[in-house]
Amino acid sequence: MDQFPLYFGLVCGGFFFLFVLAAGVGLLIFGSRSKKKSDLSQGWPSVTGKVLASSVRESRSNEDNGVKVAYYPDVAFQYEVAGKDYSSKNRSFGAVTPLKSQEAVLRILEQYPVDSTLLVYYDPQNPTQAVIERAADGIKWVLVLGILALIVAGCTGLGLLVSLITYFT
């Protein structure tokens, strides 16, 4: 069997390198922005809001060993700032972390029964940005995955560079 030409490996490796690099950078940007928003929200003013909906959302995915089900808490709420009504579904900042059981989600949703009142924290510069929990969920994992992706991209890039240098020397 003939060997593949060098450019084929470089092109494939280059695409892999760029994809993983972009994913790593994207995850780090998303994580750092969410962390920054979470930190800024600690000083945001609050208003009383009302829970419009509180439900469990299921996500199913087919895997080799069967169907995997993940559960998420969905909370919709409305609030008023300076006489203008707003609504949101952003419970917190960051990645939405899936839970493995409906019971775990229901424990979270117990805090948000429909028609109940709650504190809504909003960005005074942009009142459409609001949350009911000022923590940034899942940010540590997003940052860890971003760093791991950059490490893989670095190793891939280094391997491509060594291949090029070796080929041309």
Side-chain angles (χ1 to χ4, degrees):
M1 176 183 231
D2 293 329
Q3 289 185 332
F4 285 108
L6 176 67
Y7 68 85
F8 181 79
L10 291 176
V11 168
C12 289
F15 279 128
F16 179 77
F17 166 74
L18 291 174
F19 175 77
V20 175
L21 179 67
V25 169
L27 287 169
L28 289 178
I29 290 171
F30 173 77
S32 63
R33 283 185 179 170
S34 295
K35 175 74 171 112
K36 183 178 178 184
K37 283 183 181 179
S38 175
D39 291 345
L40 287 173
S41 74
Q42 301 304 313
W44 285 359
S46 64
V47 294
T48 302
K50 180 180 176 182
V51 177
L52 301 174
S54 182
S55 62
V56 178
R57 179 172 44 94
E58 284 186 18
S59 174
R60 296 178 181 272
S61 59
N62 292 322
E63 296 190 357
D64 292 340
N65 56 351
V67 175
K68 180 181 177 186
V69 181
Y71 301 94
Y72 302 88
D74 277 348
V75 179
F77 55 94
Q78 68 181 21
Y79 57 102
E80 182 182 314
V81 175
K84 187 170 180 185
D85 289 330
Y86 297 93
S87 63
S88 179
K89 291 183 177 182
N90 295 329
R91 198 169 54 94
S92 64
F93 297 109
V96 179
T97 307
L99 300 170
K100 294 184 183 195
S101 72
Q102 279 188 308
E103 292 75 24
V105 173
L106 290 172
R107 282 192 293 277
I108 292 171
L109 294 177
E110 284 175 354
Q111 304 170 55
Y112 309 109
V114 174
D115 292 328
S116 66
T117 59
L118 72 167
L119 278 181
V120 177
Y121 304 94
Y122 68 94
D123 181 350
Q125 304 300 319
N126 181 8
T128 60
Q129 292 271 330
V131 293
I132 53 179
E133 297 176 9
R134 295 184 283 186
D137 288 344
I139 292 304
K140 289 178 186 172
W141 287 111
V142 169
L143 294 174
V144 166
L145 288 174
I147 291 168
L148 287 174
L150 290 180
I151 291 169
V152 169
C155 291
T156 304
L158 184 61
L160 290 170
L161 185 61
V162 167
S163 295
L164 277 173
I165 291 170
T166 304
Y167 181 77
F168 289 112
T169 56

